[in-house]
Amino acid sequence: MKALFFDEPKKPIISQVQSPSITANEVMIRSRRVGICHSDYELLAGQYIIPISYPVIPGHEWVGEVVEVGENVTGLKSGDRVVGECVIKTPERIHHFGFSMDGANREYFAARPEWLHKLPDAVDDAKGALIEPFTCGFYAVLRNGAPNAAETVVVSGGGTIGLVTAAAAIGMGARVIVVDPVPLRRDIAKRLGADATVDPSAGDPVEAVQELTQGGADLVIEASGHSSSLGNVFDYARPEGRISMVGINIGHKIPAELGKIQMKNLTVRGCIGSPGVWPAAIRFLERTGIDLSPIQTHSFALDDALKALEQGKNLREAVKVTLEIA
């Protein structure tokens, strides 16, 4: 079968690999769509935040179809569409799918049913391929108290995580403002239903947010990890507001007025991943019918995966690049 794998740092290859088999406790998955994540580029560069070894097949944002079921497996059948969690437990250790073990950028792979979640018919493949990042945004919104229609949420950063976070808050009824310097991302935010966007390169973003919110947001979600964004989040929030920190910034020291946490009586929480929220996030997408398709800006066949990786580097023209496997 065909697969995209990283043979060594900075060396992506599309090649034929051995087709997998399953045990009595596993199912065989046919990959259908797989999103390319920013962390895949870190993996390709050899700079990921957990220990990794090569060669490795990436791909942790995926939707697939069950094509074979082991004799001990219950609850799944051939034809079921499924998605899978990124952080999984095996008898040996905790793995990160697509990082410390091979991922979904191949035509078929074996999986254990406890990693998987069935998709309802109302959640199509395009939306299914975004569920992994959506669960992270959904968790970031829930982490500090789910907002409602009376509240305003400011999302600082309009990449994939920022946009799915905005979509989750919009689906909960909140008024949402997205701060990002890239016109494409601001446009997508408006198409998702954001009430307003702010271009931080066009003036003082704190002043713009304060004016739009008349004193600050009820909930601020930092989703970029960039120094300028991290330095502003305490100013975006109203007194007694909440802040969720989901953007990743490792090893950098950033000047920030931490005294404002106390002066404004802010609640600040860090969040990573999406522990325990996958079933709820899937139900949320099914019942709200939120259209996440504007986030998926480009699609490529598996044979063109190297072109897809290059396209994904263009942050002004691409947000989520997806590989069509099946």
Side-chain angles (χ1 to χ4, degrees):
M1 68 173 184
K2 195 173 297 181
L4 165 68
F5 65 96
F6 298 163
D7 191 42
E8 58 187 59
K10 302 179 182 179
K11 189 178 179 182
I13 294 174
I14 304 165
S15 182
Q16 293 291 326
V17 297
Q18 180 68 40
S19 295
S21 59
I22 62 169
T23 69
N25 297 313
E26 294 177 320
V27 298
M28 184 72 73
I29 305 295
R30 176 191 289 123
S31 292
R32 293 170 70 117
R33 292 194 183 196
V34 185
I36 296 175
C37 176
H38 177 73
S39 58
D40 292 328
Y41 292 100
E42 295 173 347
L43 174 66
L44 180 57
Q47 299 174 341
Y48 197 54
I49 58 176
I50 63 169
I52 48 178
S53 60
Y54 299 87
V56 62
I57 297 172
H60 62 281
E61 301 177 4
W62 62 271
V63 58
E65 177 185 354
V66 176
V67 294
E68 184 182 352
V69 179
E71 61 184 26
N72 294 337
V73 174
T74 59
L76 289 172
K77 65 182 186 303
S78 182
D80 284 342
R81 291 182 311 119
V82 293
V83 292
E85 301 202 20
C86 179
V87 180
I88 56 178
K89 294 181 180 180
T90 68
E92 298 81 24
R93 56 176 285 193
I94 295 176
H95 272 289
H96 288 70
F97 189 76
F99 296 97
S100 60
M101 67 183 296
D102 286 336
N105 276 317
R106 45 185 163 161
E107 293 178 291
Y108 296 92
F109 62 92
R112 293 185 63 91
E114 57 264 31
W115 307 348
L116 307 176
H117 300 277
K118 284 199 290 187
L119 287 184
D121 291 340
V123 179
D124 62 14
D125 284 357
K127 196 176 292 185
L130 276 169
I131 283 180
E132 194 279 335
F134 180 80
T135 61
C136 296
F138 186 71
Y139 179 66
V141 176
L142 294 181
R143 179 82 167 134
N144 242 329
N148 56 53
E151 293 192 309
T152 296
V153 176
V154 166
V155 179
S156 186
T160 296
I161 295 300
L163 290 169
V164 295
T165 299
I170 290 163
M172 295 174 193
R175 176 176 180 246
V176 174
I177 300 166
V178 175
V179 182
D180 195 276
V182 179
L184 172 64
R185 295 176 176 184
R186 297 197 304 273
D187 176 64
I188 292 172
K190 295 299 290 288
R191 290 164 62 192
L192 290 171
D195 289 83
T197 61
V198 172
D199 178 0
S201 65
D204 184 352
V206 172
E207 183 178 312
V209 166
Q210 287 290 321
E211 183 176 348
L212 285 167
T213 58
Q214 297 184 341
D218 301 283
L219 172 63
V220 178
I221 300 173
E222 200 298 307
S224 78
H226 288 192
S227 299
S228 58
S229 173
L230 288 162
N232 285 335
V233 290
F234 306 128
D235 293 308
Y236 292 156
R238 65 165 174 80
E240 300 188 352
R242 294 117 57 202
I243 298 174
S244 288
M245 310 289 283
V246 66
I248 296 175
N249 187 312
I250 304 297
H252 295 112
K253 295 181 179 181
I254 298 158
E257 294 185 57
L258 297 182
K260 289 184 178 178
I261 299 173
Q262 182 181 24
M263 292 168 59
K264 298 173 77 170
N265 196 24
L266 302 175
T267 300
V268 182
R269 287 188 168 181
C271 50
I272 187 153
S274 50
V277 303
W278 280 67
I282 292 170
R283 289 195 303 271
F284 184 87
L285 287 172
E286 178 187 21
R287 294 173 184 175
T288 61
I290 292 173
D291 181 14
L292 300 177
S293 63
I295 299 171
Q296 293 175 316
T297 54
H298 296 80
S299 180
F300 291 83
L302 179 58
D303 284 335
D304 294 322
L306 302 188
K307 293 180 182 177
L309 287 168
E310 285 302 309
Q311 180 66 64
K313 294 177 183 177
N314 189 337
L315 301 183
R316 300 195 71 83
E317 294 184 3
V319 178
K320 179 55 64 182
V321 177
T322 303
L323 292 178
E324 304 274 355
I325 308 294

